Amino acid sequence: MSYEQARTLIGERFTSAQVDPGTPERRSLGEGGPLVVTLPADQWLPFATFAKETLGCRFFSFLTAVDWKDQGIDVLARLDNLDTTVSVTMKTRLAAGVSQCDSLAPVYRGANWMERECYDMFGIRFDGHPDLRRILLADDWQGYPLLKSYAVDTPYPPYR
Amino acid sequence: MAVKPPVPVIPAPIWRNFKDLQEYEEHRQRRPEGDKHSSLFESITEGIHSFPGGFVVTTPADAFLNWARKSSVWPVTFGLACCAIEMMATFCSRFDVERLGMVPWASPRHSDLMIVSGTVTIKMAPMLLRIYDQMPDPKWAVSMGSCSNSGGPFRHGYHVVKGVDRVIPVDVYVPGCPPPPESLLNGLLLLQEQISHFKRTGVRADPNPKVD
């Protein structure tokens, strides 16, 4: 599996996906990489299944989110094929005020804690996650600290 | 014109978790000035002091006890972050605090000093408080490094206590990020000097011109 083959397969299967052109100067990632795929939110779980079964990306590297204020929240995950070093970064944009996303935990077990952390910091509810609760912060924590709307120096009694 | 959001009101620092105001008041009356009195020594010396001419005994006794206290300050081995590396260097043979009578001891029950070395997160603060509570009186605390002095570079982070003095009472603040072993050593020497001014009545030490 090379990057060209992966691009062709993604273009055939996911017509609504937007595939970024590669940046070949990053030679460590191989020719044509890295591969960034921007998806509509309903294609999130199907693409992960496709990447695991067809592209052979069986290693779940990480999942995180970016808060773009009025423009919504980006959720992105990186999937690696460790045999052929093809890496896919999948990305979706949740509209402003939306905090629902499909969970990748049924496909990748490694997504479990990553999604819990993402829920902890950004408040994104992952549908279909087996055990969605806070992982790093205390259970009684109010708010989601990595959102841009979380005020600096929000007090947390009794320590501040 | 952009309107700034209101600054959140930060509650006044208290040293303990209290369920209600009544419990806090009870605690405050029982231990009026800090956590630094030893009730056994206090009752004995109080008895001697009230005896006619007893002060002749108690004043040298205080000096002797303070000499003993300052000559065997055992810090509890409690490292939080990168400052702990410098603390370990201070404990090791090059700087060798053992010549000052300081034996790093791995139990809070036998320790007199807690060196808070590193960032205190909100999640860690209850554990720090519990270890401090397990130390017998009289006990001292040294805040080591910018993080535990004031929160340091993480002061405006969402998860950091803005200074360990919001959790426990602190005697000596050692600045630096991290402080080199010489700084910590200097802080420990200042602490020893402060201990030599220690009063049995539980009143906090006199202001030390070198420290305060």
Side-chain angles (χ1 to χ4, degrees):
Chain A
M1 177 71 60
S2 68
Y3 274 108
E4 283 72 24
Q5 288 171 327
R7 278 171 200 281
T8 318
L9 284 170
I10 294 167
E12 286 169 3
R13 172 73 174 76
F14 293 90
T15 48
S16 56
Q18 179 194 344
V19 184
D20 286 5
T23 48
E25 67 270 13
R26 299 191 61 184
R27 200 180 294 166
S28 64
L29 294 164
E31 288 298 315
L35 192 53
V36 181
V37 184
T38 310
L39 297 154
D42 57 334
Q43 297 288 304
W44 185 245
L45 190 56
F47 184 85
T49 318
F50 165 79
K52 187 178 185 184
E53 289 168 359
T54 312
L55 303 183
C57 298
R58 288 186 298 176
F59 182 74
F60 187 86
S61 188
F62 64 85
L63 180 141
T64 185
V66 184
D67 185 5
W68 293 106
K69 292 186 180 176
D70 305 336
Q71 302 163 34
I73 297 178
D74 267 357
V75 184
L76 51 108
R78 184 173 176 124
L79 315 169
D80 289 338
N81 185 341
L82 296 179
D83 300 327
T84 58
T85 67
V86 166
S87 297
V88 180
T89 304
M90 50 190 288
K91 201 166 161 185
T92 188
R93 170 69 60 90
L94 309 178
V98 177
S99 58
Q100 298 279 335
C101 183
D102 281 340
S103 172
L104 300 186
V107 185
Y108 292 99
R109 292 184 69 186
N112 192 322
W113 281 18
M114 293 286 175
E115 286 177 352
R116 278 177 67 185
E117 188 194 350
C118 201
Y119 163 70
D120 206 354
M121 297 294 169
F122 292 93
I124 299 167
R125 270 79 172 174
F126 288 95
D127 292 333
H129 192 281
D131 181 26
L132 194 64
R133 56 195 165 89
R134 289 195 183 272
I135 186 170
L136 292 174
L137 301 177
D139 290 335
D140 59 346
W141 194 281
Q142 308 258 327
Y144 303 102
L146 289 195
L147 288 177
K148 295 271 167 50
S149 57
Y150 190 85
V152 172
D153 291 341
T154 304
Y156 185 89
Y159 297 117
R160 57 188 224 171
Chain B
M1 185 183 149
V3 179
K4 283 188 178 176
V7 179
V9 180
I10 296 171
I14 53 171
W15 291 340
R16 254 154 237 276
N17 287 313
F18 294 106
K19 278 186 213 141
D20 51 15
L21 210 59
Q22 202 177 352
E23 192 186 340
Y24 174 72
E25 195 60 30
E26 195 184 332
H27 173 269
R28 202 179 61 78
Q29 284 174 3
R30 199 168 65 244
R31 317 184 77 173
E33 291 287 333
D35 280 348
K36 298 204 179 309
H37 66 286
S38 142
S39 51
L40 179 66
F41 280 138
E42 191 179 336
S43 55
I44 291 172
T45 47
E46 195 61 44
I48 299 173
H49 194 79
S50 60
F51 211 71
F55 67 92
V56 180
V57 181
T58 51
T59 312
D62 263 357
F64 171 74
L65 288 174
N66 281 340
W67 169 81
R69 280 178 188 131
K70 83 169 196 185
S71 307
S72 68
V73 181
W74 286 12
V76 57
T77 49
F78 180 63
L80 282 178
C82 38
C83 283
I85 304 292
E86 303 293 313
M87 186 180 74
M88 285 179 238
T90 318
F91 291 163
C92 284
S93 50
R94 181 168 183 143
F95 295 94
D96 194 18
V97 291
E98 216 159 309
R99 67 201 154 96
L100 309 173
M102 297 187 181
V103 184
W105 203 255
S107 161
R109 308 265 179 205
H110 306 148
S111 306
D112 313 295
L113 167 66
M114 174 187 260
I115 302 175
V116 184
S117 54
T119 319
V120 184
T121 56
I122 289 174
K123 224 175 174 184
M124 191 63 190
M127 290 69 156
L128 186 140
L129 187 57
R130 174 166 294 190
I131 292 174
Y132 185 79
D133 282 342
Q134 284 172 347
M135 288 159 56
D137 288 337
K139 53 194 170 187
W140 292 272
V142 170
S143 164
M144 180 187 180
S146 300
C147 290
S148 60
N149 288 345
S150 67
F154 314 112
R155 183 178 173 86
H156 300 296
Y158 58 91
H159 62 299
V160 169
V161 179
K162 298 171 195 304
V164 74
D165 48 6
R166 299 189 181 215
V167 186
I168 59 171
V170 173
D171 293 288
V172 176
Y173 297 86
V174 181
C177 186
E182 297 91 340
S183 284
L184 182 61
L185 203 54
N186 187 34
L188 294 175
L189 289 172
L190 288 174
L191 179 79
Q192 283 194 332
E193 200 172 320
Q194 186 169 330
I195 293 173
S196 66
H197 296 206
F198 180 64
K199 294 280 178 62
R200 67 183 164 78
T201 50
V203 183
R204 284 184 76 98
D206 287 338
N208 186 336
K210 281 191 183 172
V211 179
D212 298 319

